Amino acid sequence: MSDFIFSLVTFVLIYLFYVFFVILRKNKLEKFKQNTYVSFLVTKYKLDLDKINFKILAHAIALTNSFIISATLFVISFIDNWLYKVAIAFVILVPLQFMMYAILGKLFKKKGSK
């Protein structure tokens, strides 16, 4: 149970970090448009940033990144060996990123086409 609470606290802290240090600051939000996550979504799913509310996209990316990190921490918290933790974290992190960004890209592609 404490591992789940730790992951939940991690999720909230990372999301709040994104909100306070990126989304609420206008100049940082403009720089965020050239971010790797945004570039990936724009090129792979042909998103038009003019049709999408960018603040909503930034919140969605922040929530996605927070979930990816906290879910990875939750899974590796059950492993004792440090070397196994690093290896399994990598094995979990990469597919989880592709899966979550595919969902996010399809969601915004559908939302942007309406």
Side-chain angles (χ1 to χ4, degrees), residues 37-72:
Y37 309 118
V38 177
S39 299
F40 174 76
L41 291 173
V42 167
T43 56
K44 175 122 171 119
Y45 297 99
K46 312 275 189 281
L47 296 181
D48 186 9
L49 292 180
D50 296 330
K51 293 182 181 178
I52 297 173
N53 185 348
F54 191 72
K55 270 198 167 184
I56 292 173
L57 180 64
H59 278 285
I61 289 173
L63 286 169
T64 302
N65 287 340
S66 300
F67 174 76
I68 290 168
I69 293 169
S70 64
T72 304

Side-chain angles (χ1 to χ4, degrees), residues 7-17 66 70:
S7 297
L8 191 62
V9 168
T10 303
F11 175 84
V12 170
L13 287 176
I14 292 171
Y15 177 69
L16 289 176
F17 179 82
S66 300
S70 64

